[in-house]
Amino acid sequence: MLRFVSQINAGSACTRDPLFVMFHGYGNDESEMIRILEAVYRQDGHTDQRPSYLSFRGTYDRPYVGGSYWYPDGCGVKERRRACSEVGDGVVSLLDAAAFGNRRRILVGFSQGGYLSYRMIVEHPSFFDSAILLSPSFKGETDTVLASGTRCLLAYGTEDRTIPPDDQRIARRVLQSAGHLEYHEYDGMGHAICDQEINDIRMFVDR
């Protein structure tokens, strides 16, 4: 069952207003991505704007320490892809409605949520307009060929020890091969989000 919180504002009839479709990292919840989006919209005096979003909670709950995740820690590639496919198919079915027909669908995911967003582009290559992949996990994707027109922003910190350097390189190579990648690397940042990254996300969304 998909669990999410939403804020949907009336879209303009003449422009394709963005709808952010957001997925948090391992052990967190839907509020993580809302905080990131709110920070993006505080930049450059945009405090009066209230972005439309659906922020989803992971399908697996941690029973004792709280938080959720999208696929079991340490699972194999097949199980990871199967879990992502189930979520992706459900999200696409939800969004494939007249109410969202005039929206720019923008995926946003951090870590596990970034990998999930990437798999959604692979399996639904023409459905999403853009994807913002923040420090995504990428294990087991060496054989993937991405054939999609979705614009992607990919970002990592130079001190990220959670995502192995080889996986980061593979992520960049796979996404670059599709021809629509904007890549950012942040000096001194670990597996986290920094102020410059927030600003870069804002500029990416505005383009």
Side-chain angles (χ1 to χ4, degrees):
M1 180 180 68
L2 290 173
R3 302 168 294 178
F4 61 91
V5 294
S6 63
Q7 175 176 280
I8 308 296
N9 303 311
S12 168
C14 58
T15 61
R16 298 189 66 214
D17 292 331
L19 172 67
F20 296 92
V21 185
M22 307 191 297
F23 306 94
H24 63 77
Y26 178 86
N28 217 304
D29 61 32
E30 65 277 7
S31 64
E32 175 183 56
M33 305 313 296
I34 296 171
R35 291 193 301 270
I36 292 171
L37 187 62
E38 287 176 345
V40 169
Y41 272 75
R42 279 197 301 270
Q43 298 291 299
D44 300 325
H46 289 281
T47 52
D48 58 328
Q49 295 189 32
R50 300 178 66 242
S52 293
Y53 62 77
L54 300 171
S55 190
F56 290 84
R57 181 184 297 186
T59 45
Y60 297 87
D61 289 326
R62 298 198 297 175
Y64 303 113
V65 293
S68 303
Y69 52 98
W70 299 104
Y71 47 83
D73 195 29
C75 71
V77 175
K78 279 189 176 180
E79 186 175 357
R80 191 160 53 244
R81 288 180 176 178
R82 178 196 56 76
C84 290
S85 291
E86 289 178 358
V87 174
D89 290 347
V91 169
V92 167
S93 178
L94 176 67
L95 295 179
D96 194 17
F100 302 122
N102 197 41
R103 298 284 187 154
R104 282 188 294 138
R105 304 183 188 106
I106 302 176
L107 293 165
V108 189
F110 176 75
S111 196
Q112 268 199 3
Y115 176 79
L116 169 59
S117 299
Y118 154 76
R119 289 302 307 176
M120 290 170 68
I121 301 169
V122 173
E123 297 186 11
H124 304 277
S126 61
F127 192 81
F128 296 98
D129 297 277
S130 305
I132 298 167
L133 310 177
L134 309 174
S135 306
S137 56
F138 222 79
K139 191 174 181 63
E141 293 299 316
T142 46
D143 62 341
T144 304
V145 175
L146 180 62
S148 172
T150 302
R151 292 174 59 237
C152 292
L153 183 151
L154 175 66
Y156 286 109
T158 60
E159 300 302 315
D160 191 336
R161 301 291 181 256
T162 301
I163 310 302
D166 282 349
D167 289 354
Q168 296 183 35
R169 285 189 286 270
I170 291 166
R172 187 174 182 181
R173 175 178 58 77
V174 169
L175 292 165
Q176 269 184 335
S177 70
H180 309 284
L181 176 65
E182 178 179 319
Y183 178 72
H184 293 276
E185 192 171 86
Y186 302 99
D187 287 340
M189 188 180 82
H191 196 61
I193 304 290
C194 68
D195 290 341
Q196 182 57 51
E197 191 171 10
I198 292 294
N199 189 57
D200 291 336
I201 293 169
R202 177 69 200 181
M203 291 190 292
F204 178 81
V205 170
D206 282 346
R207 280 195 284 275

mmCIF file of all heavy atoms in Angstrom, residues 166-190:
data_model
loop_
_atom_site.group_PDB
_atom_site.id
_atom_site.type_symbol
_atom_site.label_atom_id
_atom_site.label_comp_id
_atom_site.label_asym_id
_atom_site.label_seq_id
_atom_site.Cartn_x
_atom_site.Cartn_y
_atom_site.Cartn_z
ATOM 1 N N ASP A 166 32.641 3.440 -7.034
ATOM 2 C CA ASP A 166 32.334 2.751 -8.296
ATOM 3 C C ASP A 166 30.867 2.895 -8.652
ATOM 4 O O ASP A 166 30.517 3.097 -9.828
ATOM 5 C CB ASP A 166 32.696 1.265 -8.199
ATOM 6 C CG ASP A 166 34.191 1.026 -8.350
ATOM 7 O OD1 ASP A 166 34.915 1.970 -8.735
ATOM 8 O OD2 ASP A 166 34.629 -0.108 -8.090
ATOM 9 N N ASP A 167 29.981 2.792 -7.664
ATOM 10 C CA ASP A 167 28.548 2.958 -7.919
ATOM 11 C C ASP A 167 28.230 4.386 -8.356
ATOM 12 O O ASP A 167 27.381 4.607 -9.231
ATOM 13 C CB ASP A 167 27.731 2.605 -6.675
ATOM 14 C CG ASP A 167 27.736 1.112 -6.374
ATOM 15 O OD1 ASP A 167 28.281 0.348 -7.197
ATOM 16 O OD2 ASP A 167 27.208 0.723 -5.320
ATOM 17 N N GLN A 168 28.913 5.353 -7.763
ATOM 18 C CA GLN A 168 28.713 6.742 -8.177
ATOM 19 C C GLN A 168 29.130 6.942 -9.631
ATOM 20 O O GLN A 168 28.440 7.625 -10.401
ATOM 21 C CB GLN A 168 29.510 7.678 -7.274
ATOM 22 C CG GLN A 168 29.061 7.684 -5.821
ATOM 23 C CD GLN A 168 29.836 8.670 -4.977
ATOM 24 O OE1 GLN A 168 30.209 9.746 -5.448
ATOM 25 N NE2 GLN A 168 30.088 8.331 -3.726
ATOM 26 N N ARG A 169 30.259 6.355 -10.015
ATOM 27 C CA ARG A 169 30.728 6.481 -11.401
ATOM 28 C C ARG A 169 29.771 5.806 -12.376
ATOM 29 O O ARG A 169 29.506 6.325 -13.471
ATOM 30 C CB ARG A 169 32.137 5.905 -11.529
ATOM 31 C CG ARG A 169 33.225 6.805 -10.949
ATOM 32 C CD ARG A 169 34.609 6.311 -11.291
ATOM 33 N NE ARG A 169 34.981 5.140 -10.517
ATOM 34 C CZ ARG A 169 35.604 5.196 -9.339
ATOM 35 N NH1 ARG A 169 35.921 6.359 -8.807
ATOM 36 N NH2 ARG A 169 35.916 4.086 -8.698
ATOM 37 N N ILE A 170 29.255 4.653 -11.990
ATOM 38 C CA ILE A 170 28.306 3.943 -12.852
ATOM 39 C C ILE A 170 27.032 4.768 -13.018
ATOM 40 O O ILE A 170 26.482 4.872 -14.118
ATOM 41 C CB ILE A 170 27.982 2.552 -12.274
ATOM 42 C CG1 ILE A 170 29.219 1.646 -12.375
ATOM 43 C CG2 ILE A 170 26.805 1.910 -13.025
ATOM 44 C CD1 ILE A 170 29.119 0.387 -11.549
ATOM 45 N N ALA A 171 26.555 5.363 -11.929
ATOM 46 C CA ALA A 171 25.362 6.212 -12.008
ATOM 47 C C ALA A 171 25.567 7.340 -13.013
ATOM 48 O O ALA A 171 24.703 7.598 -13.870
ATOM 49 C CB ALA A 171 25.033 6.787 -10.631
ATOM 50 N N ARG A 172 26.718 7.988 -12.924
ATOM 51 C CA ARG A 172 26.990 9.097 -13.849
ATOM 52 C C ARG A 172 27.069 8.607 -15.292
ATOM 53 O O ARG A 172 26.519 9.239 -16.206
ATOM 54 C CB ARG A 172 28.285 9.792 -13.438
ATOM 55 C CG ARG A 172 28.552 11.064 -14.237
ATOM 56 C CD ARG A 172 29.764 11.791 -13.689
ATOM 57 N NE ARG A 172 29.999 13.034 -14.412
ATOM 58 C CZ ARG A 172 30.997 13.863 -14.163
ATOM 59 N NH1 ARG A 172 31.854 13.592 -13.170
ATOM 60 N NH2 ARG A 172 31.152 14.971 -14.859
ATOM 61 N N ARG A 173 27.728 7.469 -15.505
ATOM 62 C CA ARG A 173 27.881 6.943 -16.868
ATOM 63 C C ARG A 173 26.530 6.553 -17.466
ATOM 64 O O ARG A 173 26.216 6.898 -18.615
ATOM 65 C CB ARG A 173 28.810 5.734 -16.859
ATOM 66 C CG ARG A 173 28.931 5.052 -18.230
ATOM 67 C CD ARG A 173 29.882 3.883 -18.209
ATOM 68 N NE ARG A 173 29.527 2.864 -17.243
ATOM 69 C CZ ARG A 173 28.548 1.974 -17.429
ATOM 70 N NH1 ARG A 173 27.810 2.001 -18.518
ATOM 71 N NH2 ARG A 173 28.310 1.059 -16.503
ATOM 72 N N VAL A 174 25.711 5.836 -16.700
ATOM 73 C CA VAL A 174 24.412 5.381 -17.196
ATOM 74 C C VAL A 174 23.513 6.565 -17.522
ATOM 75 O O VAL A 174 22.859 6.597 -18.577
ATOM 76 C CB VAL A 174 23.738 4.443 -16.168
ATOM 77 C CG1 VAL A 174 22.284 4.180 -16.550
ATOM 78 C CG2 VAL A 174 24.498 3.125 -16.067
ATOM 79 N N LEU A 175 23.473 7.549 -16.640
ATOM 80 C CA LEU A 175 22.605 8.700 -16.869
ATOM 81 C C LEU A 175 23.125 9.588 -17.993
ATOM 82 O O LEU A 175 22.340 10.133 -18.787
ATOM 83 C CB LEU A 175 22.448 9.497 -15.579
ATOM 84 C CG LEU A 175 21.667 8.767 -14.473
ATOM 85 C CD1 LEU A 175 21.864 9.441 -13.127
ATOM 86 C CD2 LEU A 175 20.186 8.706 -14.824
ATOM 87 N N GLN A 176 24.437 9.738 -18.091
ATOM 88 C CA GLN A 176 25.006 10.530 -19.186
ATOM 89 C C GLN A 176 24.707 9.898 -20.544
ATOM 90 O O GLN A 176 24.535 10.606 -21.536
ATOM 91 C CB GLN A 176 26.516 10.669 -19.007
ATOM 92 C CG GLN A 176 26.923 11.897 -18.230
ATOM 93 C CD GLN A 176 28.431 12.063 -18.141
ATOM 94 O OE1 GLN A 176 29.191 11.090 -18.230
ATOM 95 N NE2 GLN A 176 28.885 13.280 -17.930
ATOM 96 N N SER A 177 24.657 8.586 -20.589
ATOM 97 C CA SER A 177 24.442 7.896 -21.864
ATOM 98 C C SER A 177 23.098 8.244 -22.488
ATOM 99 O O SER A 177 22.930 8.142 -23.702
ATOM 100 C CB SER A 177 24.552 6.377 -21.672
ATOM 101 O OG SER A 177 23.450 5.877 -20.921
ATOM 102 N N ALA A 178 22.120 8.637 -21.656
ATOM 103 C CA ALA A 178 20.814 9.026 -22.186
ATOM 104 C C ALA A 178 20.819 10.433 -22.762
ATOM 105 O O ALA A 178 19.899 10.814 -23.487
ATOM 106 C CB ALA A 178 19.750 8.909 -21.094
ATOM 107 N N GLY A 179 21.847 11.229 -22.415
ATOM 108 C CA GLY A 179 22.023 12.540 -23.038
ATOM 109 C C GLY A 179 21.289 13.692 -22.401
ATOM 110 O O GLY A 179 21.196 14.769 -22.994
ATOM 111 N N HIS A 180 20.770 13.513 -21.178
ATOM 112 C CA HIS A 180 19.988 14.599 -20.564
ATOM 113 C C HIS A 180 20.396 14.806 -19.114
ATOM 114 O O HIS A 180 19.549 15.056 -18.252
ATOM 115 C CB HIS A 180 18.494 14.273 -20.636
ATOM 116 C CG HIS A 180 18.020 13.893 -21.995
ATOM 117 N ND1 HIS A 180 17.818 14.815 -23.002
ATOM 118 C CD2 HIS A 180 17.738 12.677 -22.532
ATOM 119 C CE1 HIS A 180 17.416 14.185 -24.094
ATOM 120 N NE2 HIS A 180 17.367 12.897 -23.838
ATOM 121 N N LEU A 181 21.695 14.714 -18.823
ATOM 122 C CA LEU A 181 22.166 14.758 -17.445
ATOM 123 C C LEU A 181 22.832 16.083 -17.090
ATOM 124 O O LEU A 181 23.638 16.618 -17.850
ATOM 125 C CB LEU A 181 23.174 13.629 -17.192
ATOM 126 C CG LEU A 181 23.819 13.621 -15.797
ATOM 127 C CD1 LEU A 181 22.775 13.354 -14.719
ATOM 128 C CD2 LEU A 181 24.945 12.588 -15.736
ATOM 129 N N GLU A 182 22.494 16.593 -15.902
ATOM 130 C CA GLU A 182 23.231 17.685 -15.258
ATOM 131 C C GLU A 182 23.841 17.103 -13.991
ATOM 132 O O GLU A 182 23.118 16.610 -13.118
ATOM 133 C CB GLU A 182 22.288 18.837 -14.923
ATOM 134 C CG GLU A 182 22.973 20.000 -14.212
ATOM 135 C CD GLU A 182 22.013 21.144 -13.923
ATOM 136 O OE1 GLU A 182 21.179 21.472 -14.796
ATOM 137 O OE2 GLU A 182 22.101 21.701 -12.802
ATOM 138 N N TYR A 183 25.171 17.154 -13.894
ATOM 139 C CA TYR A 183 25.861 16.508 -12.774
ATOM 140 C C TYR A 183 26.507 17.545 -11.867
ATOM 141 O O TYR A 183 27.108 18.513 -12.340
ATOM 142 C CB TYR A 183 26.939 15.561 -13.292
ATOM 143 C CG TYR A 183 27.738 14.888 -12.199
ATOM 144 C CD1 TYR A 183 27.162 13.891 -11.421
ATOM 145 C CD2 TYR A 183 29.049 15.282 -11.932
ATOM 146 C CE1 TYR A 183 27.885 13.285 -10.402
ATOM 147 C CE2 TYR A 183 29.775 14.672 -10.906
ATOM 148 C CZ TYR A 183 29.185 13.677 -10.152
ATOM 149 O OH TYR A 183 29.893 13.078 -9.142
ATOM 150 N N HIS A 184 26.394 17.311 -10.537
ATOM 151 C CA HIS A 184 27.030 18.191 -9.552
ATOM 152 C C HIS A 184 27.739 17.343 -8.506
ATOM 153 O O HIS A 184 27.242 16.299 -8.085
ATOM 154 C CB HIS A 184 26.000 19.078 -8.857
ATOM 155 C CG HIS A 184 25.367 20.090 -9.754
ATOM 156 N ND1 HIS A 184 25.949 21.309 -10.029
ATOM 157 C CD2 HIS A 184 24.210 20.057 -10.457
ATOM 158 C CE1 HIS A 184 25.173 21.988 -10.855
ATOM 159 N NE2 HIS A 184 24.115 21.249 -11.135
ATOM 160 N N GLU A 185 28.904 17.834 -8.088
ATOM 161 C CA GLU A 185 29.676 17.196 -7.028
ATOM 162 C C GLU A 185 30.058 18.276 -6.034
ATOM 163 O O GLU A 185 30.469 19.370 -6.425
ATOM 164 C CB GLU A 185 30.923 16.544 -7.624
ATOM 165 C CG GLU A 185 31.649 15.603 -6.686
ATOM 166 C CD GLU A 185 32.730 14.831 -7.426
ATOM 167 O OE1 GLU A 185 33.851 15.377 -7.545
ATOM 168 O OE2 GLU A 185 32.438 13.715 -7.891
ATOM 169 N N TYR A 186 29.922 17.960 -4.732
ATOM 170 C CA TYR A 186 30.101 18.977 -3.703
ATOM 171 C C TYR A 186 31.269 18.614 -2.797
ATOM 172 O O TYR A 186 31.250 17.591 -2.093
ATOM 173 C CB TYR A 186 28.809 19.138 -2.899
ATOM 174 C CG TYR A 186 27.649 19.516 -3.791
ATOM 175 C CD1 TYR A 186 26.743 18.549 -4.230
ATOM 176 C CD2 TYR A 186 27.497 20.819 -4.253
ATOM 177 C CE1 TYR A 186 25.701 18.873 -5.089
ATOM 178 C CE2 TYR A 186 26.462 21.164 -5.109
ATOM 179 C CZ TYR A 186 25.565 20.191 -5.530
ATOM 180 O OH TYR A 186 24.545 20.523 -6.382
ATOM 181 N N ASP A 187 32.291 19.476 -2.789
ATOM 182 C CA ASP A 187 33.502 19.246 -2.004
ATOM 183 C C ASP A 187 33.182 19.177 -0.515
ATOM 184 O O ASP A 187 32.492 20.056 0.034
ATOM 185 C CB ASP A 187 34.520 20.371 -2.243
ATOM 186 C CG ASP A 187 35.175 20.280 -3.614
ATOM 187 O OD1 ASP A 187 35.141 19.173 -4.210
ATOM 188 O OD2 ASP A 187 35.704 21.303 -4.083
ATOM 189 N N GLY A 188 33.704 18.135 0.128
ATOM 190 C CA GLY A 188 33.587 18.013 1.572
ATOM 191 C C GLY A 188 32.260 17.494 2.076
ATOM 192 O O GLY A 188 32.098 17.278 3.277
ATOM 193 N N MET A 189 31.273 17.282 1.204
ATOM 194 C CA MET A 189 29.962 16.816 1.644
ATOM 195 C C MET A 189 29.932 15.289 1.698
ATOM 196 O O MET A 189 30.439 14.616 0.802
ATOM 197 C CB MET A 189 28.860 17.320 0.711
ATOM 198 C CG MET A 189 27.450 17.031 1.223
ATOM 199 S SD MET A 189 26.141 17.627 0.119
ATOM 200 C CE MET A 189 26.067 16.287 -1.093
ATOM 201 N N GLY A 190 29.350 14.753 2.750
ATOM 202 C CA GLY A 190 29.155 13.321 2.867
ATOM 203 C C GLY A 190 27.833 12.896 2.243
ATOM 204 O O GLY A 190 27.391 13.451 1.237
#
